[in-house]
Amino acid sequence: MSVDPSHFLATSNGGKPPLLKLHNISARPELNGQLGQAVSFAAGRYVVAVLTAEIAATMAGGNNAVEPSYLKLKPESLVEATNFEQLKFGAAVAFHHAQLYIDSAACQERGSYIMSLLPPPLQAKLTPQKAILGAVIVVLLNIMLVFKLLSGWIGFTKIFVFLSLIALVSTITSPDWMEGVKAGKPLRLIAKSAAINAPTRFKQILIELTGYRNISDRMALGLMVAMLLWSGKILITPSARPARLQPPTPNGSMQPRVPRIPQYDLENIYKMGWDDAKAGNDFGTSLPEEILKADPVEAVKPSGYEESFDWAYDPPPPPKQKSSSFGMSTMLSIFTLYRFGKDLVVTPDGQLMLDPAYIMMRLRNIEPWRLGLMGMSLYRVVNAFIR
């Protein structure tokens, strides 16, 4: 018998046991839906450590006083948690870990230091926890401001690609850097080790994201190089800025600014004309001299202007062709449909199952939000092909 038939142990997953969800436990139905990790396998059953967010956060903080409960379960009672469930569990663990940090002595010390930098009237209204919370809010607001300024100057797409590239490289190389720094290795050796292990670590990321395990090292290396080249192309391509159109003139020069004509009260001008007519004076005798000299028609005529309408006419450029709708959003929608379809026809142990009864059972157990996401992705792909 296999020592790990469902590949739930750490030894089958690169030292990182997957997060499992308990289900189909008829003897204790209250356990269904809880999460845990497999510790060992013996006598046809897995020993599973049942985890909660509080227990996981406490253990991550180095406190071994709290231990999870252990159960012996059949492989049929375990299934790998979905990406959304893993994300939700990770967020809950991070939240409880933050609560533990806020109550720690180190947080109190840092909060007191922040309070010492503030004016005395403000210190009386704060606690160390509130001081740290305020400092975090100020830092986040500054990051948002910098991001907004850079987005307007460089472009949102480039900023997003750049940050995603940094996150990807950090995720791939961080284990080698941490191990190298702890071992006191030179930076050159650490960088060399990170470059050598990058394809393998990128392969593990692809397996975790897609759930597809038949990815070779060459395929992972090719995908990583293609992603780096694509990101570099986006970052070095200059952003297109819309040109500011100028009104056309007969000789192609820029149209001059029309001088401001003095403004007067129309009622007073009419009274001046009435008084001139009543006194028998010539037309415009009482009008101000600047109004008589102002000629807006002559003022806007450019140099070399001729009273001729035989101008060279440059037709407007043809409208731009519609860009292909098969873009990044369509690619993401196709990937979502692939992942959805794979979850329907692949069992937790990686076997292909095309039985309609099994597929319908999987459909009934899928969360409503995933069905909605599948519908939107399907609409996006169909819409891209019929345009």
Side-chain angles (χ1 to χ4, degrees):
M1 181 179 293
S2 175
V3 295
D4 188 8
S6 300
H7 305 286
F8 288 157
L9 297 180
T11 54
S12 301
N13 294 274
K16 297 179 181 179
L19 189 66
L20 305 176
K21 183 171 72 172
L22 283 62
H23 72 147
N24 295 335
I25 303 177
S26 57
R28 297 180 60 184
E30 69 276 4
L31 295 176
N32 292 327
Q34 296 192 26
L35 302 176
Q37 288 181 323
V39 178
S40 62
F41 180 81
R45 294 176 181 270
Y46 282 99
V47 177
V48 179
V50 181
L51 298 174
T52 62
E54 295 86 351
I55 293 176
T58 303
M59 295 175 62
N63 187 357
N64 297 325
V66 179
E67 290 188 359
S69 58
Y70 294 92
L71 299 174
K72 291 183 178 181
L73 300 173
K74 297 179 180 179
E76 296 79 15
S77 299
L78 299 171
V79 64
E80 288 193 29
T82 63
N83 293 335
F84 180 75
E85 290 169 341
Q86 295 180 32
L87 181 64
K88 185 168 64 173
F89 183 77
V93 171
F95 175 76
H96 288 288
H97 189 72
Q99 284 186 326
L100 293 175
Y101 175 75
I102 290 176
D103 297 334
S104 64
C107 178
Q108 298 285 337
E109 182 180 353
R110 290 181 175 85
S112 301
Y113 174 74
I114 294 175
M115 290 178 59
S116 65
L117 302 177
L118 301 176
L122 193 57
Q123 294 181 13
K125 300 180 181 180
L126 293 177
T127 61
Q129 291 87 346
K130 291 182 179 180
I132 287 185
L133 179 61
V136 171
I137 293 176
V138 170
V139 171
L140 291 178
L141 290 177
N142 281 277
I143 292 175
M144 292 174 60
L145 178 61
V146 172
F147 183 79
K148 183 175 180 59
L149 294 176
L150 290 177
S151 298
W153 178 42
I154 301 176
F156 175 79
T157 302
K158 290 187 177 182
I159 295 295
F160 178 77
V161 171
F162 179 71
L163 294 178
S164 301
L165 192 61
I166 291 179
L168 177 63
V169 174
S170 301
T171 303
I172 293 175
T173 61
S174 58
D176 296 289
W177 285 99
M178 293 176 63
E179 293 175 3
V181 171
K182 289 182 179 179
K185 296 181 180 179
L187 293 180
R188 182 179 60 83
L189 293 180
I190 297 177
K192 183 178 179 180
S193 176
I196 293 174
N197 296 329
T200 304
R201 299 192 187 281
F202 185 71
K203 174 183 174 180
Q204 294 297 326
I205 293 176
L206 292 178
I207 293 175
E208 293 178 3
L209 290 177
T210 62
Y212 184 71
R213 299 182 179 275
N214 296 328
I215 300 178
S216 63
D217 293 339
R218 290 186 177 181
M219 186 186 302
L221 179 60
L223 290 174
M224 185 178 68
V225 172
M227 183 176 294
L228 293 176
L229 292 177
W230 177 75
S231 302
K233 179 180 179 299
I234 292 179
L235 293 176
I236 65 177
T237 301
S239 302
R241 297 181 179 273
R244 183 173 296 178
L245 299 179
Q246 297 290 343
T249 57
N251 60 355
S253 61
M254 294 181 61
Q255 186 168 343
R257 184 183 297 273
V258 179
R260 184 177 182 274
I261 300 176
Q263 302 292 325
Y264 292 91
D265 189 359
L266 183 60
E267 184 178 353
N268 292 335
I269 295 177
Y270 179 81
K271 187 176 183 304
M272 292 177 189
W274 174 266
D275 292 341
D276 287 342
K278 188 175 181 180
N281 298 330
D282 294 335
F283 175 76
T285 301
S286 301
L287 291 177
E289 185 177 358
E290 55 267 26
I291 289 184
L292 296 176
K293 290 183 178 181
D295 188 351
V297 176
E298 293 294 333
V300 299
K301 289 182 180 180
S303 59
Y305 179 85
E306 297 180 359
E307 290 291 342
S308 173
F309 293 95
D310 189 17
W311 299 335
Y313 174 71
D314 295 328
K320 293 184 177 180
Q321 297 182 354
K322 293 181 64 176
S323 59
S324 174
S325 57
F326 197 79
M328 180 57 65
S329 59
T330 308
M331 295 290 293
L332 292 176
S333 299
I334 292 176
F335 173 77
T336 302
L337 292 177
Y338 157 75
R339 191 70 173 87
F340 183 84
K342 182 178 180 298
D343 290 341
L344 288 180
V345 298
V346 176
T347 61
D349 57 353
Q351 300 296 325
L352 183 64
M353 179 67 69
L354 299 178
D355 184 10
Y358 177 80
I359 295 176
M360 291 303 300
M361 184 270 293
R362 295 283 291 176
L363 273 174
R364 286 193 293 267
N365 293 332
I366 289 177
E367 300 90 341
W369 70 268
R370 289 195 65 192
L371 292 175
L373 182 61
M374 186 273 293
M376 290 188 294
S377 301
L378 183 62
Y379 169 79
R380 183 69 182 87
V381 173
V382 172
N383 192 34
F385 279 105
I386 65 176
R387 277 186 182 178

